[in-house]
Amino acid sequence: MLVNGKRILLGVTGSISAYKSALLVRLLVKAGADVQVVMTQSAQEFITPLTLATLSKRPVLSAFVNDASGSWNNHVELGLWADVLVIAPASAHTLARCAHGFSDDLLSAVYLSAKCPVFFAPAMDLDMYRHPTTVENLHRLESFGNHIIHAEHGELASGLIGEGRLAEPETIVELLTAFWLQEQGVENELLGKHTLGPLQNKQVLVTAGPTQEAIDPVRFISNHSTGKMGYAIARAFAQAGADVTLVSGPTALPLPHPTIRRINVRSAQEMFEASQLAFASSEIAVWSAAVADYTPVFVADQKIKKKEQQFSLELTKTTDIAATLGSQKRPGQLLMGFALETNDERENAVKKLRSKQLDWIVLNSLRDQGAGFGHDTNKITVIDKDEQIHEFALKPKDEVAQDLVNLIAQKLSA
């Protein structure tokens, strides 16, 4: 196993997930690694240094100077000694400290001194994980060349269910193994999992939600889209390690993943302009928004009063985002679109596939119960540019999103 003989610095910080660090140390030592644990003071409130020292067979370090002996724990030497630094769990506080260069405790000083690859495995409650500060700190750390082992979805210590759980120790060991395999240029099925798969660092653009076309300052034309499908797709890409930009129409949904850059828009024109900017650097684009086909020619600057028995509204076509940007498609760029149909479903879907220069079209039929707008489930048929058909059963939208992301990942792997 590639972990054998590796010198691993394990940073443990103040999170309830610190109890998992005991299993992580055990797994790494069992795999043949030499593990040195560095704990923050707050981490010791969740798990004792004695536990981790016993498992690692090394004294745990937590301060610059050992109280008993007066000897100095040299953070520079530690940073040079390690083959990898893994901070797991990484609390919001520690992420902020490392992102901004604070070094008044041993762990953050070791991080600043490290010459080796660094992995952060965040763990915190979902609202902390989604907070713009945490999102920005994760982006900042990643921009420095560090690796983020994204938190997992599940039940949290608070009782809430969502993203924020520390990745399982087995996952972290597997990911380290995959990392060293990748360094050796070895292709392995492990590379298709977690953050080191074919989507790692791919620039992905996802559009989601409805648009609102103003009639006057009070009223607008819109549709029934909630954005759930597009947000699930953006989350699945982010969990696969992609760099995701989400252009979102008005929804009540929270940021689907802390690493996602969300651009909020309202009208079809705003969505086109935001998408056009992001499209230039995107390697993959998924057009899942329900964009208005028409918009009012004139928008009243005052609320229109109810007077006449009948009221006519002149409309004009909006820019077809998928078709316009599809015409600018670069070699190697992959595009996926959606078609919500009520009749002649496959025939209409294939027309869109061709006219918009898509690689896949995702067909929804409103005749399928539990599919389409407003549901937490969806039933899709995917048609690729070779007109091969992939049928999927009715399932939760998160699982549908994973099916779609897997199709794209398989294309990249091939």
Side-chain angles (χ1 to χ4, degrees):
M1 190 172 183
L2 290 180
V3 177
N4 185 42
K6 297 293 186 184
R7 294 176 295 191
I8 299 176
L9 274 174
L10 176 62
V12 182
T13 73
S15 163
I16 187 65
S17 297
Y19 76 90
K20 291 185 179 180
S21 60
L23 177 56
L24 179 55
V25 171
R26 182 176 176 81
L27 290 172
L28 291 170
V29 171
K30 188 176 180 180
D34 190 359
V35 180
Q36 174 62 65
V37 178
V38 180
M39 298 181 74
T40 64
Q41 292 296 325
S42 57
Q44 298 175 47
E45 298 177 11
F46 295 96
I47 186 170
T48 66
L50 178 60
T51 299
L52 298 180
T54 302
L55 292 170
S56 67
K57 301 178 177 60
R58 278 175 166 269
V60 168
L61 308 179
S62 59
F64 288 104
V65 179
N66 291 314
D67 291 336
S69 63
S71 60
W72 178 37
N73 295 320
N74 190 325
H75 58 281
V76 175
E77 288 184 0
L78 286 167
L80 293 171
W81 171 83
D83 293 311
V84 68
L85 168 60
V86 181
I87 302 180
S91 65
H93 182 72
T94 295
L95 293 174
R97 294 169 66 80
C98 293
H100 294 278
F102 291 100
S103 58
D104 56 350
D105 74 352
L106 182 61
L107 180 56
S108 55
V110 167
Y111 163 69
L112 289 179
S113 302
K115 302 295 185 184
C116 58
V118 179
F119 288 76
F120 288 90
M124 64 201 73
D125 204 60
L126 77 167
D127 292 320
M128 297 174 71
Y129 193 52
R130 291 173 176 167
H131 194 279
T133 303
T134 304
V135 173
E136 178 61 30
N137 286 335
L138 286 167
H139 278 310
R140 188 177 177 89
L141 289 168
E142 203 164 28
S143 73
F144 297 157
N146 300 305
H147 304 271
I148 308 299
I149 304 174
H150 295 297
E152 296 180 352
H153 186 280
E155 186 174 357
L156 305 173
S158 64
L160 299 174
I161 295 176
E163 287 175 316
R165 282 179 53 165
L166 178 68
E168 293 302 319
E170 294 86 352
T171 298
I172 295 173
V173 175
E174 187 179 57
L175 184 53
L176 291 173
T177 302
F179 172 75
W180 281 311
L181 279 170
Q182 191 179 58
E183 277 198 329
Q184 294 181 8
V186 177
E187 293 297 329
N188 187 280
E189 63 179 6
L190 289 173
L191 300 180
K193 300 180 180 181
H194 313 306
T195 61
L196 291 177
L199 291 165
Q200 175 71 14
N201 296 325
K202 292 293 183 184
Q203 299 294 315
V204 177
L205 167 62
V206 179
T207 65
T211 62
Q212 296 177 353
E213 308 305 313
I215 298 171
D216 61 21
V218 177
R219 305 175 183 91
F220 55 81
I221 301 170
S222 192
N223 55 61
H224 296 295
S225 173
T226 61
K228 289 179 181 178
M229 191 69 254
Y231 273 53
I233 292 168
R235 177 167 51 249
F237 272 117
Q239 289 173 339
D243 187 0
V244 181
T245 298
L246 174 62
V247 179
S248 174
T251 77
L253 300 174
L255 185 70
H257 194 279
T259 64
I260 291 172
R261 289 184 293 276
R262 181 172 59 184
I263 302 171
N264 295 320
V265 298
R266 187 166 298 276
S267 68
Q269 182 62 25
E270 289 175 357
M271 182 167 282
F272 167 66
E273 291 172 358
S275 298
Q276 188 175 41
L277 286 173
F279 186 73
S281 59
S282 296
E283 297 164 90
I284 300 163
V286 179
W287 313 119
S288 59
V291 185
D293 294 321
Y294 292 89
T295 190
V297 174
F298 302 105
V299 179
D301 56 5
Q302 300 292 329
K303 179 183 176 182
I304 299 172
K305 300 298 183 182
K306 183 168 63 176
K307 294 178 182 178
E308 295 82 3
Q309 187 66 28
Q310 294 183 334
F311 177 75
S312 296
L313 191 63
E314 186 180 0
L315 302 175
T316 186
K317 273 188 176 181
T318 59
T319 301
D320 188 323
I321 297 173
T324 302
L325 297 183
S327 67
Q328 303 170 17
K329 182 179 180 182
R330 305 186 307 275
Q333 203 171 24
L334 298 176
L335 308 183
M336 176 179 282
F338 275 67
L340 180 62
E341 302 293 341
T342 58
N343 62 283
D344 301 325
E345 287 99 337
R346 292 196 180 181
E347 180 182 347
N348 289 329
V350 170
K351 285 180 181 178
K352 290 183 178 179
L353 176 72
R354 298 297 178 210
S355 65
K356 300 174 193 290
Q357 300 189 46
L358 302 173
D359 295 279
W360 300 270
I361 188 80
V362 182
L363 172 61
N364 290 133
S365 173
L366 284 181
R367 294 191 291 182
D368 291 328
Q369 189 173 1
F373 293 146
H375 298 286
D376 292 326
T377 55
N378 205 358
K379 184 176 185 296
I380 62 169
T381 299
V382 181
I383 307 171
D384 66 25
K385 65 181 181 180
D386 297 322
E387 295 193 29
Q388 291 183 322
I389 296 173
H390 309 265
E391 298 272 8
F392 296 92
L394 182 72
K395 58 180 69 176
K397 285 184 174 176
D398 279 337
E399 294 181 21
V400 174
Q402 192 60 58
D403 288 335
L404 295 175
V405 169
N406 287 344
L407 281 176
I408 295 173
Q410 288 165 15
K411 175 72 172 177
L412 291 171
S413 296

